Structures are given as structure tokens and as C-alpha cells.
Amino acid sequence: MLINSVTTIYFSPTGTTKKIINSIVKGMGIVNDKIVDLTLPKARRDDGIPLIDGEIVLIGVPVYEEKIPEIVYPFLANLKGNGSPVVLVSVYGNIGDGIVLNQLDFIAQKSGFKVVAAGSFIGEHSFSTEEIPIAQNRPNNDDLNKAEEFGKNIIKKIENINSLEDVSFKIPQGKLPLMAKIVPKNSARLFTKTPFADMSKCSHCNICVKLCPVSAIDKGTLEINEKQCLRCFCCVKMCPKKARKIIYKPKLLVSKVLTIKNRIIKEPKIYL
Ligand SMILES: Cc1cc2nc3c(=O)[nH]c(=O)nc-3n(C[C@H](O)[C@H](O)[C@H](O)COP(=O)(O)O)c2cc1C
């Protein structure tokens, strides 16, 4: 089978998922003619659902509480695959990738895609700070090379088959840790405050307002709506003046749990 172009669909508040997706596309060596970046609210409207018509599709999401971020689930569930091949990608902060690939697989099959490959990669944890670094600077060069290699191998796999019917493929069942089963939804709000802003450093450039994936930051006061805020910390990581800060609550407990869970350095997992 010959594939000429790829459509990419991803959500990536702090940019690590986007980096992995771009490296996979580079390895594929084909045109990325449709990019659906779901990070900003306007892209997640019903009228933003792309028409998929035969080309390969690459879907990437970060892992939130070992699952697909709730904010993008409905959009992904509304896609219509029309029999197109799809590659599923999750990016997580070295704690755990839970059941994200299984959830994506479920959605993709229900929406009429043919899943041909999947991979789970590591990105700097959204909660990572200089004090408590978690998967700091990932994806690193090694990760990006593996993503590129993955892209190359996906195309080789497709080229070696006559029809998508010939693909037999299974993603292993992931597990939800006990913690993810017992904590309420959006538990990140229990463990972190809305990002603090040091107004003596802030230059009112409004980058945080423009990039917030849920438009939770007031343009005038720069205050963050506690209930809306996802705790993705995009506003912290993208602030050119480093005026915003992550605050754990309670600090000692959260930093301890994160440090313990981050002890083993994880590597990408590829399913082809
Ligand atoms: C609300 C929230 C929950 C998260 N839950 C997990 C998790 O369960 N396991 C994990 O390893 N990383 C978790 N992360 C970290 C992200 O998966 C990781 O930082 C990812 O690289 C972010 O992707 P992005 O840069 O594309 O936004 C979480 C991040 C956020 C914001």
C-alpha cells in the first residue's frame, strides 16, 4: 500500500506531545498536509472536526491521571475514520501511562479507523520544577530519534501490505494504579494550586492568556479561574519572564509522592 500524506491530531499544552508527533512525521517522510492542534478551545469546536479521507492519521495526547485528558475526549470520539489507518500516541511524565492507548484504541475502532501502530513516549512532567524535576527535558534526543525511527517503520509496514485487512495488531491492556481509581476526577486540582503569578516580573504580554487551553486566565487581572484551570501549567512553562510558578499542596507530600513515582527512568514503548 502507498501512503502519501498524514493528518496529525494532537493536544499539547506544554509542547512535548507535539515534539513527539513532529518527529514521527519526520521519520515517515511524507507530507503533513492537515494539522489539527486541539490545544486551544476554538480548535475543539464541533465544526473543527476534520474530514478524514484515506490518508494515514496520527493522534497524540498527553496522559492526564493515567487517562486521555477529559477535555479532548469528546472531540476524538466524534472523529469519523472512514476506514483510514491510524497511529495512536500517548506522552506521559514518567509516572505512568495507564490506559490511554487502550482508550484511544477503543475510540479509533468505534470511529471506523484501522489501528496500525501505537506508541507511548515520555515528556517532561507538567508538574516538574527545578526543585522537583520529573522527566526534565524529555523528550531528549534519544526519545526523538526513537520517534523518528517509529515513523520510518510505520511507513515500511504499510508499504509491505496489500490491504489494511492484512494488519493484525493488538495493544497490550494497560493498568490503572489504585491511586488513579480512588482519587476524584481532575485530582490535579487537589494536589496543586492555580499557578502563582509574581506581578513584579510579569510584563503583561498576555501570552498566558492566549495560550491557556481552557481560557481560564482573565485578560485584565491575569487571575486564573480555579475551577476551570486544568493544572496543565502551560502558563508557567511558556511565560517569557518566568513570572508564574507551580505550587504543590501540601508541598511535602506531593513532592515526596512525585519523587518516589519518578524513581525509575522509563523508555518509549512501541507497538507495530
Ligand atoms: C492534569 C495532569 C495530569 C497528569 N497525569 C499524569 C499521569 O497520570 N502520569 C504521568 O506520567 N504524567 C502525567 N502528567 C504529565 C503529562 O502527561 C506530561 O507532562 C506530558 O508530557 C504533557 O504533554 P504536553 O507537553 O504535550 O502538554 C499529567 C499532567 C497533567 C497536566
PDB file of all heavy atoms in Angstrom, residues 221-258:
ATOM      1  N   THR A 221      -6.934  41.147  34.855  1.00  0.00           N
ATOM      2  CA  THR A 221      -6.280  40.939  36.161  1.00  0.00           C
ATOM      3  C   THR A 221      -5.236  39.823  36.115  1.00  0.00           C
ATOM      4  O   THR A 221      -4.423  39.694  37.016  1.00  0.00           O
ATOM      5  CB  THR A 221      -7.331  40.536  37.208  1.00  0.00           C
ATOM      6  OG1 THR A 221      -7.916  39.291  36.779  1.00  0.00           O
ATOM      7  CG2 THR A 221      -8.423  41.573  37.354  1.00  0.00           C
ATOM      8  N   LEU A 222      -5.285  38.987  35.074  1.00  0.00           N
ATOM      9  CA  LEU A 222      -4.434  37.790  34.930  1.00  0.00           C
ATOM     10  C   LEU A 222      -4.710  36.745  36.008  1.00  0.00           C
ATOM     11  O   LEU A 222      -3.937  35.824  36.218  1.00  0.00           O
ATOM     12  CB  LEU A 222      -2.943  38.148  34.899  1.00  0.00           C
ATOM     13  CG  LEU A 222      -2.510  39.064  33.762  1.00  0.00           C
ATOM     14  CD1 LEU A 222      -1.014  39.276  33.774  1.00  0.00           C
ATOM     15  CD2 LEU A 222      -2.921  38.486  32.404  1.00  0.00           C
ATOM     16  N   GLU A 223      -5.832  36.903  36.682  1.00  0.00           N
ATOM     17  CA  GLU A 223      -6.222  35.893  37.661  1.00  0.00           C
ATOM     18  C   GLU A 223      -6.727  34.644  36.960  1.00  0.00           C
ATOM     19  O   GLU A 223      -7.305  34.737  35.869  1.00  0.00           O
ATOM     20  CB  GLU A 223      -7.308  36.446  38.570  1.00  0.00           C
ATOM     21  CG  GLU A 223      -6.718  36.943  39.873  1.00  0.00           C
ATOM     22  CD  GLU A 223      -7.724  37.612  40.751  1.00  0.00           C
ATOM     23  OE1 GLU A 223      -8.837  37.068  40.880  1.00  0.00           O
ATOM     24  OE2 GLU A 223      -7.378  38.685  41.287  1.00  0.00           O
ATOM     25  N   ILE A 224      -6.513  33.485  37.611  1.00  0.00           N
ATOM     26  CA  ILE A 224      -6.895  32.209  36.993  1.00  0.00           C
ATOM     27  C   ILE A 224      -8.139  31.663  37.667  1.00  0.00           C
ATOM     28  O   ILE A 224      -8.212  31.616  38.904  1.00  0.00           O
ATOM     29  CB  ILE A 224      -5.743  31.196  37.103  1.00  0.00           C
ATOM     30  CG1 ILE A 224      -4.504  31.761  36.392  1.00  0.00           C
ATOM     31  CG2 ILE A 224      -6.139  29.840  36.537  1.00  0.00           C
ATOM     32  CD1 ILE A 224      -3.311  30.859  36.401  1.00  0.00           C
ATOM     33  N   ASN A 225      -9.098  31.252  36.855  1.00  0.00           N
ATOM     34  CA  ASN A 225     -10.318  30.655  37.387  1.00  0.00           C
ATOM     35  C   ASN A 225      -9.982  29.271  37.947  1.00  0.00           C
ATOM     36  O   ASN A 225      -9.621  28.360  37.214  1.00  0.00           O
ATOM     37  CB  ASN A 225     -11.353  30.549  36.262  1.00  0.00           C
ATOM     38  CG  ASN A 225     -12.666  30.006  36.742  1.00  0.00           C
ATOM     39  OD1 ASN A 225     -12.725  28.948  37.373  1.00  0.00           O
ATOM     40  ND2 ASN A 225     -13.736  30.719  36.439  1.00  0.00           N
ATOM     41  N   GLU A 226     -10.101  29.148  39.257  1.00  0.00           N
ATOM     42  CA  GLU A 226      -9.704  27.921  39.972  1.00  0.00           C
ATOM     43  C   GLU A 226     -10.399  26.666  39.410  1.00  0.00           C
ATOM     44  O   GLU A 226      -9.773  25.632  39.215  1.00  0.00           O
ATOM     45  CB  GLU A 226     -10.038  28.143  41.464  1.00  0.00           C
ATOM     46  CG  GLU A 226     -10.273  26.912  42.319  1.00  0.00           C
ATOM     47  CD  GLU A 226      -8.985  26.211  42.713  1.00  0.00           C
ATOM     48  OE1 GLU A 226      -7.956  26.887  42.802  1.00  0.00           O
ATOM     49  OE2 GLU A 226      -9.020  24.977  42.900  1.00  0.00           O
ATOM     50  N   LYS A 227     -11.691  26.794  39.129  1.00  0.00           N
ATOM     51  CA  LYS A 227     -12.450  25.609  38.696  1.00  0.00           C
ATOM     52  C   LYS A 227     -12.136  25.220  37.262  1.00  0.00           C
ATOM     53  O   LYS A 227     -12.170  24.047  36.905  1.00  0.00           O
ATOM     54  CB  LYS A 227     -13.949  25.873  38.850  1.00  0.00           C
ATOM     55  CG  LYS A 227     -14.372  25.906  40.296  1.00  0.00           C
ATOM     56  CD  LYS A 227     -15.787  25.335  40.466  1.00  0.00           C
ATOM     57  CE  LYS A 227     -16.120  25.147  41.929  1.00  0.00           C
ATOM     58  NZ  LYS A 227     -16.576  26.395  42.556  1.00  0.00           N
ATOM     59  N   GLN A 228     -11.877  26.231  36.416  1.00  0.00           N
ATOM     60  CA  GLN A 228     -11.596  25.938  35.002  1.00  0.00           C
ATOM     61  C   GLN A 228     -10.184  25.395  34.786  1.00  0.00           C
ATOM     62  O   GLN A 228      -9.963  24.573  33.913  1.00  0.00           O
ATOM     63  CB  GLN A 228     -11.722  27.215  34.185  1.00  0.00           C
ATOM     64  CG  GLN A 228     -13.082  27.426  33.556  1.00  0.00           C
ATOM     65  CD  GLN A 228     -13.088  28.774  32.873  1.00  0.00           C
ATOM     66  OE1 GLN A 228     -13.219  29.799  33.540  1.00  0.00           O
ATOM     67  NE2 GLN A 228     -12.923  28.771  31.573  1.00  0.00           N
ATOM     68  N   CYS A 229      -9.233  25.884  35.570  1.00  0.00           N
ATOM     69  CA  CYS A 229      -7.805  25.588  35.354  1.00  0.00           C
ATOM     70  C   CYS A 229      -7.535  24.083  35.392  1.00  0.00           C
ATOM     71  O   CYS A 229      -7.906  23.391  36.333  1.00  0.00           O
ATOM     72  CB  CYS A 229      -6.981  26.294  36.432  1.00  0.00           C
ATOM     73  SG  CYS A 229      -5.241  25.871  36.394  1.00  0.00           S
ATOM     74  N   LEU A 230      -6.884  23.584  34.326  1.00  0.00           N
ATOM     75  CA  LEU A 230      -6.592  22.148  34.217  1.00  0.00           C
ATOM     76  C   LEU A 230      -5.374  21.743  35.024  1.00  0.00           C
ATOM     77  O   LEU A 230      -5.098  20.573  35.178  1.00  0.00           O
ATOM     78  CB  LEU A 230      -6.262  21.792  32.758  1.00  0.00           C
ATOM     79  CG  LEU A 230      -7.309  21.942  31.678  1.00  0.00           C
ATOM     80  CD1 LEU A 230      -6.683  21.604  30.322  1.00  0.00           C
ATOM     81  CD2 LEU A 230      -8.470  21.018  31.964  1.00  0.00           C
ATOM     82  N   ARG A 231      -4.569  22.734  35.417  1.00  0.00           N
ATOM     83  CA  ARG A 231      -3.246  22.499  36.029  1.00  0.00           C
ATOM     84  C   ARG A 231      -2.296  21.888  34.991  1.00  0.00           C
ATOM     85  O   ARG A 231      -1.502  21.017  35.297  1.00  0.00           O
ATOM     86  CB  ARG A 231      -3.300  21.586  37.254  1.00  0.00           C
ATOM     87  CG  ARG A 231      -4.333  21.938  38.295  1.00  0.00           C
ATOM     88  CD  ARG A 231      -4.113  23.355  38.847  1.00  0.00           C
ATOM     89  NE  ARG A 231      -4.753  23.531  40.127  1.00  0.00           N
ATOM     90  CZ  ARG A 231      -5.960  24.084  40.302  1.00  0.00           C
ATOM     91  NH1 ARG A 231      -6.640  24.543  39.264  1.00  0.00           N
ATOM     92  NH2 ARG A 231      -6.471  24.219  41.507  1.00  0.00           N
ATOM     93  N   CYS A 232      -2.446  22.332  33.734  1.00  0.00           N
ATOM     94  CA  CYS A 232      -1.524  21.847  32.698  1.00  0.00           C
ATOM     95  C   CYS A 232      -0.201  22.599  32.781  1.00  0.00           C
ATOM     96  O   CYS A 232       0.807  22.171  32.245  1.00  0.00           O
ATOM     97  CB  CYS A 232      -2.134  22.002  31.305  1.00  0.00           C
ATOM     98  SG  CYS A 232      -2.241  23.716  30.750  1.00  0.00           S
ATOM     99  N   PHE A 233      -0.214  23.754  33.435  1.00  0.00           N
ATOM    100  CA  PHE A 233       0.961  24.602  33.669  1.00  0.00           C
ATOM    101  C   PHE A 233       1.624  25.112  32.399  1.00  0.00           C
ATOM    102  O   PHE A 233       2.808  25.450  32.389  1.00  0.00           O
ATOM    103  CB  PHE A 233       1.959  23.908  34.614  1.00  0.00           C
ATOM    104  CG  PHE A 233       1.335  23.620  35.950  1.00  0.00           C
ATOM    105  CD1 PHE A 233       1.178  22.330  36.422  1.00  0.00           C
ATOM    106  CD2 PHE A 233       0.827  24.659  36.716  1.00  0.00           C
ATOM    107  CE1 PHE A 233       0.548  22.075  37.628  1.00  0.00           C
ATOM    108  CE2 PHE A 233       0.192  24.420  37.933  1.00  0.00           C
ATOM    109  CZ  PHE A 233       0.056  23.129  38.380  1.00  0.00           C
ATOM    110  N   CYS A 234       0.809  25.176  31.359  1.00  0.00           N
ATOM    111  CA  CYS A 234       1.248  25.803  30.113  1.00  0.00           C
ATOM    112  C   CYS A 234       1.657  27.245  30.399  1.00  0.00           C
ATOM    113  O   CYS A 234       2.692  27.740  29.925  1.00  0.00           O
ATOM    114  CB  CYS A 234       0.078  25.722  29.141  1.00  0.00           C
ATOM    115  SG  CYS A 234       0.162  26.789  27.751  1.00  0.00           S
ATOM    116  N   CYS A 235       0.870  27.947  31.234  1.00  0.00           N
ATOM    117  CA  CYS A 235       1.154  29.364  31.514  1.00  0.00           C
ATOM    118  C   CYS A 235       2.472  29.530  32.263  1.00  0.00           C
ATOM    119  O   CYS A 235       3.157  30.534  32.108  1.00  0.00           O
ATOM    120  CB  CYS A 235      -0.001  29.995  32.301  1.00  0.00           C
ATOM    121  SG  CYS A 235      -0.381  29.146  33.835  1.00  0.00           S
ATOM    122  N   VAL A 236       2.835  28.509  33.064  1.00  0.00           N
ATOM    123  CA  VAL A 236       4.110  28.578  33.800  1.00  0.00           C
ATOM    124  C   VAL A 236       5.260  28.359  32.825  1.00  0.00           C
ATOM    125  O   VAL A 236       6.224  29.115  32.788  1.00  0.00           O
ATOM    126  CB  VAL A 236       4.161  27.489  34.905  1.00  0.00           C
ATOM    127  CG1 VAL A 236       5.522  27.473  35.584  1.00  0.00           C
ATOM    128  CG2 VAL A 236       3.042  27.693  35.912  1.00  0.00           C
ATOM    129  N   LYS A 237       5.129  27.305  32.002  1.00  0.00           N
ATOM    130  CA  LYS A 237       6.244  26.906  31.135  1.00  0.00           C
ATOM    131  C   LYS A 237       6.461  27.875  29.968  1.00  0.00           C
ATOM    132  O   LYS A 237       7.561  27.994  29.463  1.00  0.00           O
ATOM    133  CB  LYS A 237       6.035  25.479  30.628  1.00  0.00           C
ATOM    134  CG  LYS A 237       5.673  24.520  31.755  1.00  0.00           C
ATOM    135  CD  LYS A 237       6.549  23.313  31.896  1.00  0.00           C
ATOM    136  CE  LYS A 237       6.274  22.672  33.259  1.00  0.00           C
ATOM    137  NZ  LYS A 237       6.865  21.421  33.512  1.00  0.00           N
ATOM    138  N   MET A 238       5.399  28.542  29.528  1.00  0.00           N
ATOM    139  CA  MET A 238       5.537  29.402  28.351  1.00  0.00           C
ATOM    140  C   MET A 238       5.788  30.871  28.729  1.00  0.00           C
ATOM    141  O   MET A 238       6.000  31.691  27.845  1.00  0.00           O
ATOM    142  CB  MET A 238       4.270  29.336  27.476  1.00  0.00           C
ATOM    143  CG  MET A 238       3.900  27.937  27.024  1.00  0.00           C
ATOM    144  SD  MET A 238       5.210  27.179  26.046  1.00  0.00           S
ATOM    145  CE  MET A 238       4.559  25.546  25.759  1.00  0.00           C
ATOM    146  N   CYS A 239       5.757  31.210  29.999  1.00  0.00           N
ATOM    147  CA  CYS A 239       5.923  32.621  30.385  1.00  0.00           C
ATOM    148  C   CYS A 239       7.351  33.094  30.088  1.00  0.00           C
ATOM    149  O   CYS A 239       8.313  32.562  30.644  1.00  0.00           O
ATOM    150  CB  CYS A 239       5.621  32.791  31.875  1.00  0.00           C
ATOM    151  SG  CYS A 239       5.954  34.477  32.437  1.00  0.00           S
ATOM    152  N   PRO A 240       7.514  34.091  29.227  1.00  0.00           N
ATOM    153  CA  PRO A 240       8.871  34.524  28.874  1.00  0.00           C
ATOM    154  C   PRO A 240       9.608  35.180  30.040  1.00  0.00           C
ATOM    155  O   PRO A 240      10.830  35.237  30.044  1.00  0.00           O
ATOM    156  CB  PRO A 240       8.644  35.524  27.728  1.00  0.00           C
ATOM    157  CG  PRO A 240       7.222  35.899  27.778  1.00  0.00           C
ATOM    158  CD  PRO A 240       6.470  34.822  28.494  1.00  0.00           C
ATOM    159  N   LYS A 241       8.865  35.643  31.039  1.00  0.00           N
ATOM    160  CA  LYS A 241       9.505  36.326  32.186  1.00  0.00           C
ATOM    161  C   LYS A 241       9.628  35.399  33.402  1.00  0.00           C
ATOM    162  O   LYS A 241      10.030  35.860  34.482  1.00  0.00           O
ATOM    163  CB  LYS A 241       8.682  37.569  32.576  1.00  0.00           C
ATOM    164  CG  LYS A 241       8.602  38.606  31.482  1.00  0.00           C
ATOM    165  CD  LYS A 241       9.924  39.343  31.362  1.00  0.00           C
ATOM    166  CE  LYS A 241       9.851  40.349  30.240  1.00  0.00           C
ATOM    167  NZ  LYS A 241      11.137  40.880  29.873  1.00  0.00           N
ATOM    168  N   LYS A 242       9.217  34.162  33.246  1.00  0.00           N
ATOM    169  CA  LYS A 242       9.205  33.200  34.363  1.00  0.00           C
ATOM    170  C   LYS A 242       8.490  33.782  35.599  1.00  0.00           C
ATOM    171  O   LYS A 242       8.927  33.649  36.738  1.00  0.00           O
ATOM    172  CB  LYS A 242      10.634  32.771  34.740  1.00  0.00           C
ATOM    173  CG  LYS A 242      11.373  32.091  33.597  1.00  0.00           C
ATOM    174  CD  LYS A 242      12.488  31.221  34.118  1.00  0.00           C
ATOM    175  CE  LYS A 242      13.301  30.529  33.046  1.00  0.00           C
ATOM    176  NZ  LYS A 242      12.614  30.025  31.892  1.00  0.00           N
ATOM    177  N   ALA A 243       7.370  34.442  35.306  1.00  0.00           N
ATOM    178  CA  ALA A 243       6.637  35.102  36.391  1.00  0.00           C
ATOM    179  C   ALA A 243       5.680  34.152  37.109  1.00  0.00           C
ATOM    180  O   ALA A 243       5.244  34.437  38.212  1.00  0.00           O
ATOM    181  CB  ALA A 243       5.854  36.289  35.828  1.00  0.00           C
ATOM    182  N   ARG A 244       5.377  33.032  36.455  1.00  0.00           N
ATOM    183  CA  ARG A 244       4.408  32.130  37.085  1.00  0.00           C
ATOM    184  C   ARG A 244       5.118  30.920  37.698  1.00  0.00           C
ATOM    185  O   ARG A 244       6.175  30.500  37.227  1.00  0.00           O
ATOM    186  CB  ARG A 244       3.367  31.678  36.059  1.00  0.00           C
ATOM    187  CG  ARG A 244       2.405  32.803  35.693  1.00  0.00           C
ATOM    188  CD  ARG A 244       1.130  32.247  35.145  1.00  0.00           C
ATOM    189  NE  ARG A 244       0.212  33.289  34.730  1.00  0.00           N
ATOM    190  CZ  ARG A 244      -0.786  33.733  35.481  1.00  0.00           C
ATOM    191  NH1 ARG A 244      -0.989  33.251  36.687  1.00  0.00           N
ATOM    192  NH2 ARG A 244      -1.585  34.666  35.021  1.00  0.00           N
ATOM    193  N   LYS A 245       4.483  30.355  38.730  1.00  0.00           N
ATOM    194  CA  LYS A 245       5.132  29.300  39.495  1.00  0.00           C
ATOM    195  C   LYS A 245       4.131  28.196  39.847  1.00  0.00           C
ATOM    196  O   LYS A 245       2.958  28.496  40.094  1.00  0.00           O
ATOM    197  CB  LYS A 245       5.635  29.924  40.801  1.00  0.00           C
ATOM    198  CG  LYS A 245       6.979  29.422  41.249  1.00  0.00           C
ATOM    199  CD  LYS A 245       7.470  30.273  42.391  1.00  0.00           C
ATOM    200  CE  LYS A 245       7.842  29.357  43.533  1.00  0.00           C
ATOM    201  NZ  LYS A 245       8.256  30.082  44.712  1.00  0.00           N
ATOM    202  N   ILE A 246       4.617  26.951  39.880  1.00  0.00           N
ATOM    203  CA  ILE A 246       3.766  25.832  40.301  1.00  0.00           C
ATOM    204  C   ILE A 246       3.839  25.718  41.820  1.00  0.00           C
ATOM    205  O   ILE A 246       4.925  25.763  42.389  1.00  0.00           O
ATOM    206  CB  ILE A 246       4.286  24.512  39.679  1.00  0.00           C
ATOM    207  CG1 ILE A 246       4.235  24.602  38.155  1.00  0.00           C
ATOM    208  CG2 ILE A 246       3.529  23.306  40.212  1.00  0.00           C
ATOM    209  CD1 ILE A 246       4.859  23.420  37.429  1.00  0.00           C
ATOM    210  N   ILE A 247       2.690  25.575  42.443  1.00  0.00           N
ATOM    211  CA  ILE A 247       2.706  25.384  43.906  1.00  0.00           C
ATOM    212  C   ILE A 247       1.962  24.094  44.250  1.00  0.00           C
ATOM    213  O   ILE A 247       0.771  23.954  43.974  1.00  0.00           O
ATOM    214  CB  ILE A 247       2.080  26.588  44.636  1.00  0.00           C
ATOM    215  CG1 ILE A 247       2.870  27.849  44.257  1.00  0.00           C
ATOM    216  CG2 ILE A 247       2.085  26.378  46.147  1.00  0.00           C
ATOM    217  CD1 ILE A 247       2.343  29.116  44.850  1.00  0.00           C
ATOM    218  N   TYR A 248       2.700  23.137  44.830  1.00  0.00           N
ATOM    219  CA  TYR A 248       2.086  21.875  45.255  1.00  0.00           C
ATOM    220  C   TYR A 248       1.314  22.102  46.547  1.00  0.00           C
ATOM    221  O   TYR A 248       1.701  22.934  47.363  1.00  0.00           O
ATOM    222  CB  TYR A 248       3.154  20.811  45.541  1.00  0.00           C
ATOM    223  CG  TYR A 248       4.110  20.510  44.417  1.00  0.00           C
ATOM    224  CD1 TYR A 248       5.476  20.430  44.665  1.00  0.00           C
ATOM    225  CD2 TYR A 248       3.666  20.258  43.124  1.00  0.00           C
ATOM    226  CE1 TYR A 248       6.379  20.123  43.657  1.00  0.00           C
ATOM    227  CE2 TYR A 248       4.562  19.950  42.115  1.00  0.00           C
ATOM    228  CZ  TYR A 248       5.911  19.889  42.387  1.00  0.00           C
ATOM    229  OH  TYR A 248       6.804  19.587  41.390  1.00  0.00           O
ATOM    230  N   LYS A 249       0.259  21.288  46.744  1.00  0.00           N
ATOM    231  CA  LYS A 249      -0.428  21.356  48.043  1.00  0.00           C
ATOM    232  C   LYS A 249      -0.838  19.950  48.503  1.00  0.00           C
ATOM    233  O   LYS A 249      -1.505  19.261  47.719  1.00  0.00           O
ATOM    234  CB  LYS A 249      -1.621  22.323  47.977  1.00  0.00           C
ATOM    235  CG  LYS A 249      -2.737  21.911  47.034  1.00  0.00           C
ATOM    236  CD  LYS A 249      -3.958  22.782  47.146  1.00  0.00           C
ATOM    237  CE  LYS A 249      -5.049  22.200  46.268  1.00  0.00           C
ATOM    238  NZ  LYS A 249      -6.230  22.960  46.126  1.00  0.00           N
ATOM    239  N   PRO A 250      -0.449  19.478  49.667  1.00  0.00           N
ATOM    240  CA  PRO A 250       0.586  20.040  50.522  1.00  0.00           C
ATOM    241  C   PRO A 250       1.956  19.726  49.917  1.00  0.00           C
ATOM    242  O   PRO A 250       2.165  18.628  49.404  1.00  0.00           O
ATOM    243  CB  PRO A 250       0.378  19.311  51.847  1.00  0.00           C
ATOM    244  CG  PRO A 250      -0.332  18.042  51.502  1.00  0.00           C
ATOM    245  CD  PRO A 250      -1.040  18.249  50.213  1.00  0.00           C
ATOM    246  N   LYS A 251       2.853  20.701  50.016  1.00  0.00           N
ATOM    247  CA  LYS A 251       4.098  20.638  49.267  1.00  0.00           C
ATOM    248  C   LYS A 251       4.929  19.379  49.565  1.00  0.00           C
ATOM    249  O   LYS A 251       5.378  18.676  48.656  1.00  0.00           O
ATOM    250  CB  LYS A 251       4.920  21.891  49.584  1.00  0.00           C
ATOM    251  CG  LYS A 251       6.165  21.993  48.749  1.00  0.00           C
ATOM    252  CD  LYS A 251       6.918  23.254  49.026  1.00  0.00           C
ATOM    253  CE  LYS A 251       8.278  23.144  48.341  1.00  0.00           C
ATOM    254  NZ  LYS A 251       9.168  24.211  48.670  1.00  0.00           N
ATOM    255  N   LEU A 252       5.088  19.087  50.866  1.00  0.00           N
ATOM    256  CA  LEU A 252       5.974  17.969  51.226  1.00  0.00           C
ATOM    257  C   LEU A 252       5.461  16.642  50.693  1.00  0.00           C
ATOM    258  O   LEU A 252       6.201  15.861  50.093  1.00  0.00           O
ATOM    259  CB  LEU A 252       6.097  17.893  52.740  1.00  0.00           C
ATOM    260  CG  LEU A 252       7.419  18.401  53.278  1.00  0.00           C
ATOM    261  CD1 LEU A 252       7.397  18.451  54.778  1.00  0.00           C
ATOM    262  CD2 LEU A 252       8.572  17.545  52.762  1.00  0.00           C
ATOM    263  N   LEU A 253       4.162  16.432  50.912  1.00  0.00           N
ATOM    264  CA  LEU A 253       3.559  15.157  50.498  1.00  0.00           C
ATOM    265  C   LEU A 253       3.625  14.985  48.980  1.00  0.00           C
ATOM    266  O   LEU A 253       4.066  13.948  48.470  1.00  0.00           O
ATOM    267  CB  LEU A 253       2.110  15.082  50.986  1.00  0.00           C
ATOM    268  CG  LEU A 253       1.378  13.808  50.580  1.00  0.00           C
ATOM    269  CD1 LEU A 253       1.909  12.629  51.390  1.00  0.00           C
ATOM    270  CD2 LEU A 253      -0.122  13.934  50.773  1.00  0.00           C
ATOM    271  N   VAL A 254       3.210  16.034  48.253  1.00  0.00           N
ATOM    272  CA  VAL A 254       3.161  15.924  46.788  1.00  0.00           C
ATOM    273  C   VAL A 254       4.572  15.733  46.228  1.00  0.00           C
ATOM    274  O   VAL A 254       4.804  14.873  45.380  1.00  0.00           O
ATOM    275  CB  VAL A 254       2.453  17.143  46.144  1.00  0.00           C
ATOM    276  CG1 VAL A 254       2.455  17.041  44.632  1.00  0.00           C
ATOM    277  CG2 VAL A 254       1.016  17.258  46.648  1.00  0.00           C
ATOM    278  N   SER A 255       5.543  16.505  46.747  1.00  0.00           N
ATOM    279  CA  SER A 255       6.896  16.332  46.209  1.00  0.00           C
ATOM    280  C   SER A 255       7.435  14.947  46.524  1.00  0.00           C
ATOM    281  O   SER A 255       8.142  14.343  45.706  1.00  0.00           O
ATOM    282  CB  SER A 255       7.863  17.419  46.663  1.00  0.00           C
ATOM    283  OG  SER A 255       7.494  18.004  47.837  1.00  0.00           O
ATOM    284  N   LYS A 256       7.079  14.399  47.688  1.00  0.00           N
ATOM    285  CA  LYS A 256       7.551  13.062  48.048  1.00  0.00           C
ATOM    286  C   LYS A 256       6.959  12.009  47.106  1.00  0.00           C
ATOM    287  O   LYS A 256       7.666  11.157  46.570  1.00  0.00           O
ATOM    288  CB  LYS A 256       7.142  12.758  49.495  1.00  0.00           C
ATOM    289  CG  LYS A 256       8.167  11.924  50.192  1.00  0.00           C
ATOM    290  CD  LYS A 256       7.915  11.824  51.650  1.00  0.00           C
ATOM    291  CE  LYS A 256       9.177  11.203  52.257  1.00  0.00           C
ATOM    292  NZ  LYS A 256       9.325  11.485  53.625  1.00  0.00           N
ATOM    293  N   VAL A 257       5.643  12.090  46.910  1.00  0.00           N
ATOM    294  CA  VAL A 257       4.965  11.107  46.048  1.00  0.00           C
ATOM    295  C   VAL A 257       5.542  11.175  44.630  1.00  0.00           C
ATOM    296  O   VAL A 257       5.881  10.150  44.031  1.00  0.00           O
ATOM    297  CB  VAL A 257       3.438  11.354  46.035  1.00  0.00           C
ATOM    298  CG1 VAL A 257       2.754  10.492  44.979  1.00  0.00           C
ATOM    299  CG2 VAL A 257       2.837  11.083  47.401  1.00  0.00           C
ATOM    300  N   LEU A 258       5.698  12.392  44.105  1.00  0.00           N
ATOM    301  CA  LEU A 258       6.217  12.539  42.739  1.00  0.00           C
ATOM    302  C   LEU A 258       7.643  11.983  42.650  1.00  0.00           C
ATOM    303  O   LEU A 258       7.990  11.291  41.697  1.00  0.00           O
ATOM    304  CB  LEU A 258       6.190  14.013  42.310  1.00  0.00           C
ATOM    305  CG  LEU A 258       4.804  14.590  41.996  1.00  0.00           C
ATOM    306  CD1 LEU A 258       4.897  16.087  41.743  1.00  0.00           C
ATOM    307  CD2 LEU A 258       4.161  13.907  40.796  1.00  0.00           C
TER     308      LEU A 258
END
